[in-house]
Amino acid sequence: MSVTRAASPTDLGELRTLLVDACAQATVPPPALLAEAVTRDLVHVAEHDGELLGCVVAEMPSPAHLRLTAVAVRAGSRREGVAARLVTELVRSFPRGGAGEPPLISALVRTDAVAVTRLLLACGFIGTRIMRSDGDLLVYFQYKSRVEYLDPDARHLVPVKAREQLVESLAPSDHAVTALVTLGGEPAFEIARFEQDDPATLQSGEAAAGIAFSGSILAAITFLLGFAFSSGRFPDDVRLLLIGATFSTVLSLIVYASASGELARIRSNSFGKIMKWGNVLSEYGGVFPFLISLPVTYAQASGNAWTTMVLAVLLSAAIAWYERSEFSIAHRFQRSRTEVALTILTAVSPTVGAALISAEVTSWPWTLALTGTLAARTWLYLFRRGAEAGVAERRQWQFRG
């Protein structure tokens, strides 16, 4: 079994021999460029018992762009997955940009280089356009770093030999080579059409959904707060909790409105950060205080301790399930032991609060503990965690002065 690693300067002589033996002369990097690539960790090799079995060489024309220039595997080690492991390792080792945006990883391949084309397609690349160089027809392959959707009814096959048809098929910007198949005993490209999304429209819909959700929660909290003030037996500490929930929900509405303004101007690429603030404030400052206050409200309205406790236990179970589900805000962030403890405290809060109210025991310690728990979770997600899962993967606008 071969092992893969980054090449070292001591490998240069054997690397050069491997590339000359396994690659076309035009694709072999000059000695100076090969040495520079090794120094910058842009060459990965596979070896077995001290012998190099294969290598992949790249160059970095800009800090966020990696171009694969050569892939070589010894004749006796081909069709064993060596090249695929090398390409995959090099792609994974390339760092992301400063703002978290995925890097650009590309390769240029002759249309008749079937083996290399099949390798790149298997490693997550797609061919997006045709380029011409010294009479050769080259397919520009690019690594897909984000999920996009194919139109299942807009696919067709183009034989590798049909050069002009291939040029015509890849002319639209939403068409790409996504597979290499056999047609009539000859290799053929599968051309597919990608659904073109509009980032501004998608983000606008997300901001509008946030505003609508927070507005609905604010209406519910306001109604509950009105009942709290109309009841002379409603605990003052719970009234304060609902007032804080109202403030936090209004603040989340302001934040969502700011996200809409950022979207309209598209200047600072901060839409994801703004939405994180709105999502966290609306959930831990509005939704959870509102839900946890429901058993208290029911206890005041019904005066039935038994049904109050049943409602509180069911609500605690529902919150615990939600916290563990993929729908929760917490699911979008990396979890720690501290966060798990805070999650448990949040889930048991309805049961503890309802028990204190039913027993007519002072609930101030419970309210302070709940407020501290939700405040700690808000601080944790806003200041100690990165972007929400998926947000950093979104397209980043770039500006040139």
Side-chain angles (χ1 to χ4, degrees), residues 255 269-278 382 387-388 391:
V255 171
N269 282 329
S270 59
F271 177 82
K273 295 179 181 179
I274 296 176
M275 288 300 295
K276 183 180 80 167
W277 273 78
L382 290 182
E388 297 177 58
V391 173

Side-chain angles (χ1 to χ4, degrees), residues 47-383:
E47 67 175 357
H48 179 68
D49 291 336
E51 179 186 16
L52 295 189
L53 304 181
C55 68
V56 57
V57 183
E59 60 180 322
M60 197 159 57
S62 67
H65 188 174
L66 183 73
R67 169 67 62 85
L68 303 183
T69 56
V71 180
V73 178
R74 292 192 185 278
S77 302
R78 293 172 185 172
R79 299 186 182 278
E80 297 179 0
V82 174
R85 284 195 291 129
L86 286 169
V87 172
T88 301
E89 180 182 294
L90 183 62
V91 168
R92 290 178 178 174
S93 66
F94 192 59
R96 304 181 70 87
E101 70 272 13
L104 173 61
I105 304 175
S106 64
L108 282 176
V109 181
R110 290 169 53 97
T111 55
D112 57 357
V114 176
V116 179
T117 297
R118 184 175 285 110
L119 167 67
L120 293 177
L121 291 171
C123 292
F125 288 76
I126 60 171
T128 57
R129 57 183 53 86
I130 292 293
M131 294 185 176
R132 301 179 188 271
S133 176
D134 298 329
D136 289 333
L137 208 61
L138 306 175
V139 181
Y140 178 87
F141 282 91
Q142 180 176 339
Y143 182 74
K144 287 298 294 179
S145 57
R146 65 189 181 99
V147 175
E148 288 186 307
Y149 297 95
L150 296 176
D151 185 344
D153 297 324
R155 291 180 289 179
H156 63 280
L157 301 179
V158 177
V160 169
K161 294 180 179 179
R163 295 160 59 97
E164 296 305 320
Q165 181 59 54
L166 180 62
V167 173
E168 180 181 341
S169 296
L170 291 182
S173 61
D174 56 351
H175 284 62
V177 175
T178 55
L180 189 66
V181 300
T182 301
L183 180 65
E186 298 291 334
F189 296 113
E190 181 186 79
I191 311 296
R193 185 175 72 86
F194 284 86
E195 295 287 353
Q196 294 291 298
D197 59 359
D198 182 359
T201 301
L202 295 176
Q203 292 179 343
S204 177
E206 185 176 349
I211 292 174
F213 176 75
S214 288
S216 301
I217 293 298
L218 180 61
I221 294 175
T222 303
F223 173 80
L224 194 61
L225 189 60
F227 175 82
F229 279 113
S230 64
S231 174
R233 297 186 303 126
F234 209 91
D236 289 336
D237 54 319
V238 181
R239 290 194 184 105
L240 291 176
L241 182 65
L242 291 175
I243 291 174
T246 302
F247 172 77
S248 182
T249 307
V250 171
L251 190 60
S252 71
L253 279 171
I254 297 173
V255 171
Y256 284 134
S258 297
S260 299
E262 157 66 20
L263 178 62
R265 290 181 287 273
I266 311 182
R267 290 181 179 174
S268 61
N269 282 329
S270 59
F271 177 82
K273 295 179 181 179
I274 296 176
M275 288 300 295
K276 183 180 80 167
W277 273 78
N279 293 339
V280 172
L281 288 174
S282 65
E283 175 140 329
Y284 298 103
V287 175
F288 276 121
F290 167 71
L291 293 177
I292 293 171
S293 299
L294 289 178
V296 176
T297 305
Y298 181 81
Q300 295 297 328
S302 68
N304 189 319
W306 188 85
T307 56
T308 297
M309 291 307 301
V310 171
L311 173 63
V313 171
L314 291 176
L315 187 57
S316 289
I319 291 177
W321 171 85
Y322 169 75
E323 291 276 26
R324 291 180 57 85
S325 73
E326 62 182 8
F327 309 108
S328 67
I329 297 296
H331 182 75
R332 306 178 188 180
F333 300 96
Q334 184 180 7
R335 301 200 178 194
S336 63
R337 292 183 179 179
T338 301
E339 182 191 351
V340 172
L342 293 174
T343 301
I344 294 174
L345 290 176
T346 304
V348 301
S349 291
T351 301
V352 175
L356 294 175
I357 296 298
S358 299
E360 297 183 355
V361 178
T362 179
S363 57
W364 275 102
W366 167 78
T367 304
L368 293 175
L370 175 60
T371 302
T373 298
L374 296 178
R377 298 189 70 180
T378 301
W379 174 83
L380 182 68
Y381 296 135
L382 290 182
F383 300 106

Side-chain angles (χ1 to χ4, degrees), residues 27-61:
T27 62
V28 178
L33 291 182
L34 183 60
E36 180 184 359
V38 169
T39 303
R40 302 177 69 179
D41 289 335
L42 299 179
V43 180
H44 284 216
V45 298
E47 67 175 357
H48 179 68
D49 291 336
E51 179 186 16
L52 295 189
L53 304 181
C55 68
V56 57
V57 183
E59 60 180 322
M60 197 159 57

